[in-house]
Amino acid sequence: MTRNARKAPWILARSTQAAIAAAAVADAFRAPAVRDHYLHPTDASLHKSGFISMIFLYLMTLATALFLVWLARSRSNAQERSPGASVPSRGWTIGAWFIPMVNFFIPRQLVLDIGRASSASWKQKRDATLVNLWWVAWIAHAVVLVVGGRVAPRSMTFLVVAEALMIAAAVLLGLVIERITALQSAALGATVPVPPLAQA
């Protein structure tokens, strides 16, 4: 007889991807609404920008929570698949995202380590490049947002660039989630033998 090994978190992955996409779309509506209120403040613009910002905040919080749960689950799967691999601890996998300055560098490495440990099919050139592109887009979005807000808060160019990077980061993160989950599905989906029941 056989039993299924631990399964890759496909439902969690799909939920995370959907939440990330929804948050990115909400941000694409939020940013111009906030800019319009900044340029032409009215009660109507305040209500509109506030409402859209609230929706974005809820969706971003949901996306962040789901992503961290997916990452923690993927870390456990990677550790089970490759016990001797360099896999971050459970606490560091989550905590590194919330430490200022550290969260500009370490989370990328955490995802790379989890990806490498997930399967022997991890392709260093292709898969690491995917993770790096996602991280560059995400950090660039944050930098453009901060610089644009200080240097030229009225600039439509900064706004468009920031939102383009946000959408690119969301798409690339969705692909990273897809790739790691697929690797784990293939690696963990094999069957393992179950010892026969002892005779009474």
Side-chain angles (χ1 to χ4, degrees):
M1 295 177 61
T2 61
R3 66 174 173 83
N4 287 332
R6 181 193 291 228
K7 297 297 185 182
W10 276 115
I11 294 177
L12 184 57
R14 291 287 181 258
S15 299
T16 304
Q17 289 169 321
I20 290 170
V25 170
D27 191 51
F29 285 95
R30 179 200 62 82
V34 170
R35 178 179 180 275
D36 287 345
H37 177 65
Y38 178 82
L39 295 177
H40 309 289
T42 64
D43 289 342
S45 67
L46 176 62
H47 176 74
K48 179 181 179 181
S49 62
F51 178 71
I52 298 176
S53 294
M54 181 180 65
I55 292 176
F56 167 72
L57 180 61
Y58 288 153
L59 288 173
M60 193 65 179
T61 301
L62 176 63
T64 301
L66 285 172
F67 172 71
L68 291 177
V69 172
W70 171 83
L71 192 64
R73 174 71 183 278
S74 297
R75 186 211 72 86
S76 296
N77 284 348
Q79 188 173 49
E80 179 179 306
R81 174 69 179 81
S82 306
S86 176
V87 178
S89 68
R90 186 172 302 162
W92 190 235
T93 298
I94 304 300
W97 295 84
F98 299 98
I99 302 175
M101 299 308 296
V102 169
N103 57 12
F104 273 81
F105 306 99
I106 300 301
R108 166 192 161 274
Q109 188 60 49
L110 298 179
V111 174
L112 284 171
D113 290 343
I114 290 170
R116 291 190 190 103
S118 292
S119 171
S121 297
W122 173 269
K123 305 296 184 184
Q124 182 62 24
K125 185 175 181 180
R126 184 185 70 178
D127 295 330
T129 298
L130 178 61
V131 173
N132 289 333
L133 286 174
W134 154 61
W135 195 245
V136 167
W138 175 247
I139 296 300
H141 162 260
V143 171
V144 170
L145 210 58
V146 171
V147 172
R150 294 190 177 189
V151 175
R154 299 170 181 264
S155 172
M156 178 60 76
T157 300
F158 273 108
L159 177 65
V160 170
V161 171
E163 290 311 302
L165 288 168
M166 172 70 166
I167 293 172
V171 171
L172 289 166
L173 179 53
L175 294 175
V176 168
I177 292 170
E178 185 78 12
R179 179 59 177 163
I180 292 177
T181 306
L183 286 172
Q184 293 190 350
S185 181
L188 299 172
T191 57
V192 296
V194 173
L197 296 174
Q199 297 296 323

